[in-house]
């Protein structure tokens, strides 16, 4: 089945930036561009929330209000990669960030990468 592996998380100071990456592999019946790709996050004690989503061809994106204007989701369909560039990070951005693929068949999830914003 489809495998998603996130990377790029870590500890960053308030006001800093991070670029998260998600590598997708093991496609069988369908290709990477058949899937909408999303980033979700889950902070301790909170529900998982959608951060950003991008269409299969990369032509359409949408963002949560909490990150709009300081985050950019992008994808490379040749490399089967999706990215989340986050700027002006603040402690409220601290969470585990998950990559998700939605398209034909079941949804797929990665294992998550921790982002901690702290001085």
């Amino acid at each position: 089945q489809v495998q998603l592996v996130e990377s790029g998380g870590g500890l960053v100071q308030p006001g800093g930036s991070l670029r998260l990456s998600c590598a997708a592999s093991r496609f069988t019946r369908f290709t990477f561009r058949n899937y909408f790709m999303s980033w979700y996050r889950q902070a301790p004690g909170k529900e998982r929330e959608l951060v950003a989503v991008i269409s299969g061809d990369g032509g359409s994106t949408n963002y949560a209000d909490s990150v709009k204007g300081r985050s950019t989701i992008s994808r490379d369909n040749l490399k089967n990669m999706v990215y989340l560039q986050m700027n002006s990070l603040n402690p409220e951005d601290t969470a585990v960030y998950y990559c998700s693929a939605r398209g034909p068949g079941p949804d797929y999830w990665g294992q998550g990468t921790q982002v901690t914003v702290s001085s």
Side-chain angles (χ1 to χ4, degrees), residues 13-70:
Q13 292 188 342
S17 299
L18 275 180
R19 188 194 195 206
L20 304 182
S21 300
C22 174
S25 62
R26 299 184 182 179
F27 294 94
T28 54
R29 290 186 62 195
F30 303 100
T31 63
F32 180 62
R33 67 180 300 119
N34 290 127
Y35 291 84
F36 276 70
M37 297 301 296
S38 302
W39 286 96
Y40 285 77
R41 68 185 181 186
Q42 187 166 20
K46 296 186 176 181
E47 293 186 355
R48 190 173 296 189
E49 64 171 348
L50 177 66
V51 177
V53 58
I54 187 167
S55 60
D57 64 0
S60 178
T61 59
N62 202 7
Y63 299 89
D65 288 342
S66 57
V67 304
K68 193 173 296 182
R70 60 188 182 92

Side-chain angles (χ1 to χ4, degrees), residues 65-80:
D65 288 342
S66 57
V67 304
K68 193 173 296 182
R70 60 188 182 92
S71 297
T72 303
I73 187 171
S74 61
R75 66 190 293 161
D76 185 335
N77 284 347
L78 295 178
K79 296 181 179 179
N80 289 2

